[in-house]
């Protein structure tokens, strides 16, 4: 298979087949949009009935996996802000008939007695249900119950056989794939420490769905149907003995290669041993910002494991590289910032007597001394006009990571830069040295200089990626940082770009989570699927990799994606279509994530999924997962919304999508031109309405830099964070410390209540005026809401900002603008979609109605009806 030219590194991979109707299509081509003016930590934190959840949440129902609650192995509390108090109030389930929003993708019933790892959550479904070992020398299938992978979510659990029906673009079909590194789910996949059995034709791995010939040990590939040998390994007395092979009993396994198979491997007792962190700090800060930054930095180094190696670099007009060999004072070697450091200068630095990377157990007092020695910017130059040589500083940081102090002792060299991280703490734009832009936008040559700087930053990010070093950029303050210039550096290296209001609490939390989130390097994602299925687009933090495997596998048509980094905060969204009418009873998908983990072991995680095919449109719609479908639609839409003008256009495409889904899959109302929206997917329109008016496409976020940062974060975020960024979760505080989950409607703004709204990157706490008047009750409610907010977002990266305010305050507009305006709807419609209203007395409902200010924005029902569509009944 010939390979097209490799595209530049970018976050979004778009694959377009040249001839979708041919059995073996030409290689997909990737088109990567230009860097926009400005995506995950752990596999989606989930509620699981049979696993440990956050101690603050107890609920009889199975809520959404997007609630942000931790499961599995506990993560130590961050040292800033202080750990929240123990909070044991349960969340009350939403009133019937309202289903707690967001809804969990519905699992398929399984036969009891599964032989699979308990890490497979029952509340996630990837459609690999009704699994059977089909033995070619047996007349009957043996049912082999299988759990479900938390790393792959399909938008539907069934596939339509008819190409014309399946390929309706308005609804679409696809999957979300999260690389995961096992830390967020315990226990993880079953581990196999031997070479896998792979198809000699297409390269697929032996798996739970393969037909096995017991007499010869041969197995049939589910992707290409070729028969393969197993070197006699699968020759067993009976079918039940096949369960002794993890790959034949579980849909997800990890093949691990360690020291025996890889010369030079040194097992590490602590993952941080192989993960040096270099802080690159802006020294051009005013006093208030510097105080906050110093507090966050002190808490950051206190939180690091003792074996973590750290480096500290400051930048302004010069680059100061701090030397940890001086124990009593803060000492630094200084390099000019007006140009890239020469090789001679770097050699003199790296091979000198200074220690620039040092483990925390030996350097903690020195690090504190360095941070305490920082002084505020003394000149009267405006923030935007101060010289900052950020580009030069990152170049020096990469050299420090690659230097002799970054190598392992006793002559064994670790893989250069493996799992290293550079964290930039920036308070303004890069205005000095390479990759810089002029201080003022009015500079006559600004557009050209910005374009040059953008390319230079992207190249620097690519170089960091080649060295397996991730560059995270955490910005704070009120000075514009010129996001279009800095964003390519983070993107191309596989890092993240985050904006903060200040260097305080949220910044400090993100600083710690950036350094401790589990990550791998040298990652590749390989996607194989049945010949009837075509991958039309991939969106995520990677680019197509052109790997020639034809000497080993002559018919390997899989799609390979090189991942810019391997982190559980990420996901790849796949758009899939039928090449032709499907004639088989099942279609198969196999995802292989290959990476080097934090312990420097080679991992190949293999996930195999089987989906049944159906002729019935109704059966297909019943298997659609509203929330997964909404997230996939949102990612495809946001990929095209590169600026605010595009975002306005994309709102129109959401309208057209609702109309087409009703037209193609709904039914026409008798004696009317209206169409009913399909009853099988009742949540989808409301989720898309939130998308249309929220921060991703709406007018809530004012500055284009903020919009661009949020957009890029969303395109690469895990399912949980993506869902929360599309549709907020609303929780009302009740007396006794309980919380009731309600629809995110403005009818929740009841004066005697406190309401928490989780919108992914922001969490808002709203106190009603009547409650706020009672100082004791309002303080208790605020503390309970604050504690719950911290628990809900404990594993989220980036950590959201948490804002609280009272009813009627100017800040309350942030909260009000994210709620669906339902106060104008008829009472019967309000009660149907917001059942909690039925618990209010007549005078309370009147008071609530009179508290709203009239404006022209339509409610959800008004919007749907304006599209000539009848809103679906609430589920």
């Amino acid at each position: 298979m010939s390979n097209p030219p490799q595209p530049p590194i970018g976050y979004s991979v778009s694959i377009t087949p040249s001839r979708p109707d041919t059995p073996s299509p030409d290689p997909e081509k990737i088109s990567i949009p230009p860097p926009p003016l400005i995506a995950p930590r752990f596999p989606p934190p989930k509620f699981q009935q049979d696993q440990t959840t956050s101690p603050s949440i107890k609920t009889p129902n199975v809520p959404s996996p997007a609630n942000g609650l931790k499961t599995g192995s506990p993560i130590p509390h961050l040292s800033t802000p202080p750990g929240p108090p123990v909070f044991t109030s349960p969340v009350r389930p939403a009133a019937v008939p309202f289903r707690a929003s967001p809804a969990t993708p519905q699992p398929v019933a399984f036969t009891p007695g599964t032989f699979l790892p308990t890490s497979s959550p029952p509340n996630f479904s990837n459609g690999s249900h009704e699994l059977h070992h089909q033995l070619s020398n047996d007349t009957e299938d043996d049912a082999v119950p299988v759990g479900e992978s938390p790393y792959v979510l399909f938008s539907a659990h069934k596939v339509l056989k008819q190409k014309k029906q399946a390929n309706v673009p308005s609804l679409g079909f696809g999957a979300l794939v999260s690389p995961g590194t096992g830390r967020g789910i315990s226990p993880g996949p079953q581990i196999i420490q031997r070479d896998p059995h792979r198809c000699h034709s297409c390269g697929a791995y032996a798996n739970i769905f393969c037909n096995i010939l017991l007499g010869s040990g041969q197995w049939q590939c589910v992707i290409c149907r070729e028969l393969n040998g197993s070197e006699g390994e699968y020759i067993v007395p009976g079918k039940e003995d096949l369960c002794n092979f993890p790959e034949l009993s579980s849909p997800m396994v990890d093949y691990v290669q360690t020291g025996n198979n890889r010369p030079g491997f040194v097992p590490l007792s602590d993952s941080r041993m192989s993960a040096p962190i270099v802080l690159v700090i802006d020294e051009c800060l005013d006093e208030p910002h510097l105080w906050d930054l110093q507090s966050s930095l002190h808490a950051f180094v206190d939180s690091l494991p003792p074996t973590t190696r750290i480096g500290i670099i400051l930048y302004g007009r010069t680059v100061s590289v701090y030397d940890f060999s001086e124990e009593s004072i803060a000492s630094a070697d200084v390099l000019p910032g007006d140009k890239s450091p020469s090789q001679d200068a770097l050699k003199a630095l790296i091979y000198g007597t200074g220690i620039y990377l040092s483990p925390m157990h030996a350097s903690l007092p020195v690090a504190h001394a360095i941070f305490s020695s920082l002084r505020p910017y003394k000149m009267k130059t405006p923030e935007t006009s101060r010289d900052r040589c950020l580009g030069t500083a990152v170049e020096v940081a990469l050299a420090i990571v690659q230097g002799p102090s970054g190598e392992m002792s006793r002559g064994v060299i670790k893989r250069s830069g493996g799992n290293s991280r550079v964290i930039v703490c920036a308070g303004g734009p890069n205005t000095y040295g390479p990759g810089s832009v002029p201080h003022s936008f009015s500079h006559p040559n600004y557009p050209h200089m910005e374009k040059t700087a953008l390319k230079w930053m992207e190249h620097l990010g690519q170089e960091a990626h080649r060295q397996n070093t991730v560059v995270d950029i955490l910005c704070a303050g009120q000075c514009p940082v010129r996001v279009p210039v800095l964003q390519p550096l983070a993107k191309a290296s596989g890092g993240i770009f985050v904006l903060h209001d200040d260097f305080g609490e949220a910044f400090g939390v993100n600083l710690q989570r950036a350094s401790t989130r589990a990550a791998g390097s040298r990652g590749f994602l390989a996607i194989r699927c049945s010949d009837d299925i075509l991958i039309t687009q991939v969106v995520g933090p990677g680019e197509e990799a052109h790997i020639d495997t034809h000497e080993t596998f002559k018919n390997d048509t899989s799609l390979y994606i090189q991942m810019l980094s391997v982190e559980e905060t990420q996901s790849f969204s796949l758009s899939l279509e039928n090449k032709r009418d499907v004639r088989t009873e099942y279609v198969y998908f196999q995802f292989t994530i290959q990476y080097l983990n934090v312990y420097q072991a080679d991992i190949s995680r293999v996930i195999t999924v089987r989906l049944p095919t159906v002729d019935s449109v109704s059966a297909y719609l019943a298997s659609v997962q509203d929330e997964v479908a909404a997230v996939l639609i949102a990612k495809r839409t946001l990929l095209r919304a590169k600026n605010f003008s595009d975002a306005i256009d994309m709102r129109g495409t959401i309208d057209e999508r609702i109309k087409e889904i009703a037209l193609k899959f709904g039914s026409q109302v008798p004696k009317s031109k209206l169409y009913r929206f399909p009853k099988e997917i009742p949540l989808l329109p409301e989720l898309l309405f939130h998308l249309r008016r929220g921060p991703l496409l709406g007018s809530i976020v004012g500055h284009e830099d903020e919009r661009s940062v949020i957009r890029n974060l969303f395109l690469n975020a895990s399912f949980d964070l993506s869902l929360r960024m599309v549709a907020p979760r609303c929780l009302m505080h009740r007396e006794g410390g309980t919380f009731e989950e309600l629809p995110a409607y403005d009818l929740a703004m009841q004066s005697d209540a406190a309401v928490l709204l989780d919108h992914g990157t922001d969490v808002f706490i709203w106190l009603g005026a009547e409650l706020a008047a009672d100082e004791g009750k309002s303080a208790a409610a605020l503390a309970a809401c604050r504690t719950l907010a911290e628990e809900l977002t404990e594993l989220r990266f980036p950590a959201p900002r948490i804002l609280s305010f009272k009813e009627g305050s100017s800040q309350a507009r942030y909260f009000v603008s994210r709620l669906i305006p339902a106060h104008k709807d008829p009472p019967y419609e309000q009660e149907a979609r917001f059942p909690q209203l039925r618990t209010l007395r007549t005078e309370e409902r009147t008071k609530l109605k009179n508290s709203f200010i009239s404006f022209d924005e339509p409610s959800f029902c008004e919007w749907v009806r304006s599209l000539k569509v009848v809103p679906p009944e609430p589920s």
Side-chain angles (χ1 to χ4, degrees):
M1 182 176 71
S2 60
N3 292 322
Q6 184 167 340
I9 285 183
Y11 266 41
S12 304
V13 181
S14 179
I15 303 145
T16 307
S18 55
R19 294 184 61 189
D21 292 322
T22 58
S24 299
D26 290 337
E28 290 85 0
K29 296 181 180 178
I30 289 190
S31 62
I32 298 190
L37 297 179
I38 149 64
R41 180 177 176 87
F42 307 99
K46 307 163 189 70
F47 277 137
Q48 300 181 25
Q49 287 178 308
D50 59 344
Q51 294 189 14
T52 303
T53 62
S54 170
S56 69
I57 302 293
K58 298 177 183 176
T59 175
N61 293 341
V62 180
S64 167
N67 295 334
L69 298 183
K70 66 179 182 180
T71 60
S73 303
I75 305 300
H77 279 293
L78 303 172
S79 62
T80 179
V86 176
F87 181 68
T88 58
S89 302
V91 175
R92 291 169 50 190
V96 178
F98 171 72
R99 182 173 70 177
S101 177
T104 303
Q106 295 300 301
V108 186
F110 290 88
T111 307
T114 177
F115 176 76
L116 298 177
T118 57
S119 63
S120 303
N123 61 321
F124 262 113
S125 182
N126 64 6
S128 54
H129 59 288
E130 302 174 3
L131 308 182
H132 299 277
H133 264 306
Q134 300 181 352
L135 305 177
S136 55
N137 59 348
D138 226 298
T139 56
E140 294 184 1
D141 293 344
D142 260 6
V144 180
V146 177
E148 303 198 272
S149 167
Y151 301 108
V152 180
L153 294 174
F154 278 87
S155 61
H157 292 163
K158 297 178 180 178
V159 176
L160 278 168
K161 290 186 176 182
Q162 300 297 317
K163 175 183 175 181
K164 184 176 180 181
Q165 294 175 334
N167 293 351
V168 174
S170 54
L171 184 56
F173 174 62
L176 286 166
V177 182
S178 174
T181 54
R183 193 167 132 184
I185 295 178
S186 179
Q190 293 197 37
I191 293 175
I192 304 173
Q193 290 187 293
R194 58 168 167 78
D195 291 335
H197 292 293
R198 301 186 64 179
C199 176
H200 67 271
S201 178
C202 70
Y205 291 72
N207 58 80
I208 188 171
F209 305 105
C210 294
N211 297 336
I212 307 292
L213 294 175
L214 299 183
S216 64
Q218 291 177 297
W219 59 279
Q220 186 181 34
C221 176
V222 297
I223 302 297
C224 68
R225 315 307 297 175
E226 288 286 330
L227 205 59
N228 299 272
S230 64
E231 299 179 354
E233 192 168 1
Y234 293 160
I235 298 176
V236 291
K239 294 176 291 183
E240 63 279 357
D241 296 302
L242 292 173
C243 291
N244 295 324
F245 298 96
E247 70 270 30
L248 302 183
S249 60
S250 172
M252 177 172 65
V253 293
D254 278 1
Y255 291 96
V256 180
Q257 290 186 1
T258 53
N260 294 334
N261 297 323
R262 187 154 55 77
F265 174 82
V266 176
L268 302 175
S269 59
D270 191 296
S271 64
R272 304 302 177 271
M273 287 280 289
S274 60
I277 299 169
V278 179
L279 295 174
V280 178
I281 303 168
D282 185 350
E283 65 177 0
C284 301
L285 302 179
D286 292 329
E287 194 168 51
H289 286 316
L290 181 62
W291 286 348
D292 286 340
L293 177 60
Q294 284 177 312
S295 177
S296 294
L297 292 173
H298 284 303
F300 169 69
V301 292
D302 283 336
S303 72
L304 292 176
T307 53
T308 300
R309 289 173 296 149
I310 190 172
I312 300 174
I313 294 176
L314 259 65
Y315 69 93
R317 282 185 64 86
T318 59
V319 177
S320 302
V321 187
Y322 278 86
D323 184 359
F324 289 97
S325 64
E326 297 286 349
E327 297 183 3
S328 56
I329 58 174
S331 172
D333 293 308
V334 180
L335 298 173
D338 59 336
K339 59 184 178 181
S340 296
S342 66
Q343 289 299 315
D344 289 340
L346 291 177
K347 267 188 179 180
L349 183 72
I350 294 170
Y351 291 93
T353 58
I355 299 175
Y356 307 112
L357 281 179
S358 179
M360 288 309 307
H361 66 79
S363 58
L364 183 59
V366 183
H368 281 304
I370 293 170
F371 298 146
S372 298
S373 71
L374 303 182
R375 294 293 179 264
Y377 190 82
K378 293 298 185 182
M379 300 176 67
K380 299 187 180 298
T381 310
E383 280 189 300
T384 54
S385 300
R386 297 171 188 173
D387 291 334
R388 295 177 171 91
C389 58
L390 186 153
T392 306
V394 172
E395 285 185 297
V396 174
L398 293 177
I400 293 298
V401 168
Q402 292 299 104
S405 56
E407 298 174 356
M408 296 175 65
S409 61
R410 298 182 182 177
V412 179
I413 307 301
K414 77 180 184 66
R415 298 192 175 191
S416 59
N419 307 316
S420 304
R421 195 173 295 278
V422 173
I423 303 178
V424 180
C425 305
N430 182 35
T431 54
Y432 191 67
S436 64
V437 291
H439 298 111
S440 173
F441 287 105
S442 60
H443 189 282
N445 205 25
Y446 188 89
H448 172 73
M449 295 182 71
E450 182 185 56
K451 186 177 180 180
T452 303
L454 191 149
K455 290 182 178 179
W456 190 90
M457 285 293 184
E458 184 177 41
H459 175 75
L460 182 60
Q462 291 170 349
E463 180 60 31
H465 177 64
R466 279 192 287 272
Q467 298 178 15
N468 287 319
T469 301
V470 170
V471 181
D472 292 324
I473 302 179
L474 308 183
C475 301
Q478 305 304 313
C479 179
V481 294
R482 317 283 171 87
V483 171
V485 177
L486 296 184
Q487 179 75 14
L489 171 58
K491 288 172 61 174
S493 70
I496 195 166
F497 190 106
V498 188
L499 293 176
H500 303 84
D501 293 333
D502 52 46
F503 289 97
E505 179 183 358
F507 179 90
V509 172
N510 277 325
L511 187 61
Q512 294 181 38
R513 295 185 186 179
S515 67
T516 58
R517 67 188 193 268
S521 59
R522 291 181 166 88
F524 288 91
L525 169 64
I527 307 168
R528 295 177 173 88
C529 51
S530 297
D531 193 46
D532 293 323
I533 302 298
L534 178 69
I535 304 170
T536 59
Q537 187 181 61
V538 180
V539 178
E543 62 183 13
E544 186 176 20
H546 306 290
I547 300 177
D548 188 2
T549 61
H550 288 86
E551 290 187 7
T552 308
F553 310 112
K554 58 184 178 181
N555 294 315
D556 186 3
T557 59
S558 58
L559 174 67
Y560 287 92
I561 302 295
Q562 182 181 9
M563 296 188 286
L564 300 180
S565 62
V566 185
E567 299 175 11
E568 294 168 348
T569 48
Q570 305 167 340
S571 72
F572 292 84
S573 60
L574 314 181
S575 297
L576 307 169
E577 289 185 358
N578 289 21
K579 289 183 188 176
R580 60 184 74 84
D581 291 347
V582 180
R583 303 189 183 279
T584 57
E585 292 302 312
Y586 299 95
V587 290
Y588 297 88
F589 304 85
Q590 192 170 83
F591 307 91
T592 306
I593 300 104
Q594 299 172 304
Y595 64 98
L596 190 71
N597 74 356
V598 292
Y599 295 98
Q600 303 291 293
D602 287 308
I603 308 293
S604 293
R605 173 163 295 161
V606 181
I607 305 168
T608 310
V609 179
R610 180 175 76 174
L611 298 181
T613 58
V614 293
D615 290 304
S616 167
V617 173
S618 179
Y620 168 73
L621 291 176
S623 77
V624 170
Q625 304 299 289
D626 301 60
E627 292 169 337
V628 179
V631 168
L632 287 169
I633 289 171
K635 287 182 183 270
R636 290 195 293 264
T637 304
L638 263 291
L639 186 65
R640 300 167 57 190
K642 296 180 177 64
N643 52 51
F644 183 61
S645 176
D646 292 339
I648 295 174
D649 294 339
M650 291 303 102
R651 295 178 207 167
T653 66
I654 297 295
D655 297 349
E656 294 303 315
R657 191 179 295 273
I658 293 294
K659 290 193 284 188
E660 187 177 355
I661 292 175
L663 179 65
K664 297 286 187 180
F665 298 110
S667 58
Q668 189 169 6
V669 177
K671 300 180 182 179
S672 171
K673 294 183 179 180
L674 300 179
Y675 280 82
R676 296 187 188 278
F677 198 84
K679 66 179 184 299
E680 295 89 350
I681 44 177
L683 294 180
L684 185 60
E686 189 169 306
L687 292 169
L688 295 183
F689 186 55
H690 277 297
L691 168 66
R692 189 185 188 279
R693 61 189 302 277
L696 294 173
L697 289 180
S699 304
I700 294 175
V701 177
H703 198 280
E704 190 59 41
D705 280 1
E706 293 180 75
R707 189 188 313 279
S708 184
V709 170
I710 292 174
R711 171 182 175 269
N712 279 283
L713 173 63
F714 175 76
L715 286 177
N716 303 282
S718 64
F719 168 72
D720 293 314
L721 179 55
S722 297
L723 179 59
R724 280 287 68 81
M725 292 177 74
V726 169
R729 184 186 185 203
C730 183
L731 294 164
M732 179 180 284
H733 179 261
R734 293 299 192 184
E735 288 189 17
T738 62
F739 282 85
E740 180 178 7
E741 183 164 1
L742 299 172
Y745 286 20
D746 60 1
L747 299 173
M749 296 167 55
Q750 298 166 23
S751 288
D752 62 343
V755 180
L756 182 148
L757 192 75
D758 180 2
H759 212 167
T761 55
D762 297 278
V763 177
F764 303 103
I765 300 170
W766 180 89
L767 300 177
E770 187 177 320
L771 175 66
D774 188 322
E775 188 173 337
K777 286 185 177 180
S778 64
L782 179 60
C785 290
R786 178 81 187 191
T787 303
L788 181 59
E790 290 172 354
E791 290 188 348
L792 291 174
T793 61
E794 186 175 5
L795 299 183
R796 191 174 299 173
F797 181 76
R801 60 176 180 172
I802 301 175
L803 300 177
S804 58
F805 33 73
K806 298 178 182 178
E807 179 181 3
S809 65
S810 60
Q811 280 191 315
R813 68 185 187 278
Y814 296 123
F815 174 80
V816 177
S817 62
R818 295 162 193 257
L819 297 172
I820 291 178
H823 62 275
K824 295 188 298 180
D825 288 339
Y828 70 88
E829 209 154 57
Q830 291 179 344
E831 290 185 6
R833 299 186 180 278
F834 199 89
Q836 188 263 353
L837 283 182
R838 300 169 188 161
T839 66
L840 301 183
R841 299 189 301 272
T842 303
E843 58 270 23
E844 290 175 327
R845 293 189 64 166
T846 302
K847 184 178 179 181
L848 176 64
K849 180 179 178 181
N850 293 335
S851 67
F852 294 109
I853 300 174
S854 298
F855 51 89
D856 295 332
E857 187 178 8
S859 68
F860 166 68
C861 293
E862 290 173 334
W863 171 68
V864 175
R865 291 194 181 97
S866 72
L867 305 176
K868 308 298 182 186
V869 175
V870 177
E873 294 294 326
S875 59

